[in-house]
Amino acid sequence: MSQNGAGIDLDKSLGYLLKEASSALRAAMEEVLRPLGMSVTRYSCLELLAQRPGLSNSELARGAFVTRQSMNVLLQALEREGYVTRPAEAPVGKVLPTRLTPRGWRSLEKATVAVRSVEVRMLAGMTETEQSEAFRILQSMIHSLRDDNDGS
């Protein structure tokens, strides 16, 4: 508990522990991605595009947990470097659907192996049953928070 008795006990705060786990995961991912010339945000963007080709800048930003402005800067760099392609004009509305190039796919394949090694390391002390339960619990927490946020 804080010195004046108010607040939460960080040693018993699930939210604080989740943030600490998130921070440790991000640091481990950055460590394995850095030698590949990649960041977690860059990797997230490429992975999202591999799984959902044609996402808009806004959709990519939401999926990678960054601002639209940050994603726009990243997409411009990825396009300039030949990892993604976007049409010069929007086929419909204002959305410029982004797709991976062969170079983007090759880079993503290497990064995926590196990131997967971090996930394997993170889960190494858990049985398959514990891993399944952890996934279920985390998904339930996310669902509960999003439901509350939607006014349900």
Side-chain angles (χ1 to χ4, degrees):
M1 222 183 260
S2 65
Q3 289 183 356
N4 64 5
I8 60 171
D9 185 347
L10 294 180
D11 292 334
K12 295 180 181 171
S13 169
L14 185 57
Y16 187 79
L17 188 60
L18 285 169
K19 182 61 180 170
E20 189 174 359
S22 174
S23 180
L25 175 60
R26 185 175 187 99
M29 288 173 65
E30 290 286 357
E31 186 178 318
V32 299
L33 289 170
R34 193 174 303 112
L36 302 174
M38 200 173 290
S39 67
V40 171
T41 304
R42 182 179 277 239
Y43 165 74
S44 296
C45 179
L46 295 178
E47 188 65 62
L48 285 164
L49 287 170
Q51 294 185 28
R52 301 177 197 136
L55 286 179
S56 70
N57 179 25
S58 293
E59 292 165 326
L60 286 167
R62 277 191 298 278
F65 308 106
V66 297
T67 65
R68 286 181 307 198
Q69 295 83 356
S70 294
M71 183 53 67
N72 192 46
V73 170
L74 175 59
L75 286 174
Q76 289 173 0
L78 289 170
E79 189 173 24
R80 202 172 37 252
E81 296 164 15
Y83 292 94
V84 301
T85 183
R86 296 189 289 178
E89 293 183 21
V92 178
K94 297 180 187 177
V95 176
L96 295 174
T98 307
R99 299 197 184 280
L100 291 178
T101 63
R103 182 177 188 185
W105 280 104
R106 287 189 302 274
S107 182
L108 176 60
E109 286 173 7
K110 292 175 188 169
T112 299
V113 170
V115 167
R116 184 67 190 134
S117 74
V118 170
E119 289 183 352
V120 166
R121 193 171 96 211
M122 178 178 66
L123 299 171
M126 300 171 76
T127 66
E128 278 190 44
T129 301
E130 290 169 332
Q131 290 177 31
S132 294
E133 187 65 4
F135 277 99
R136 187 194 66 72
I137 290 168
L138 288 170
Q139 288 169 337
S140 176
M141 289 178 192
I142 293 165
H143 188 76
S144 294
L145 290 171
R146 288 193 176 147
D147 281 353
D148 285 350
N149 197 26
D150 292 341
S152 301

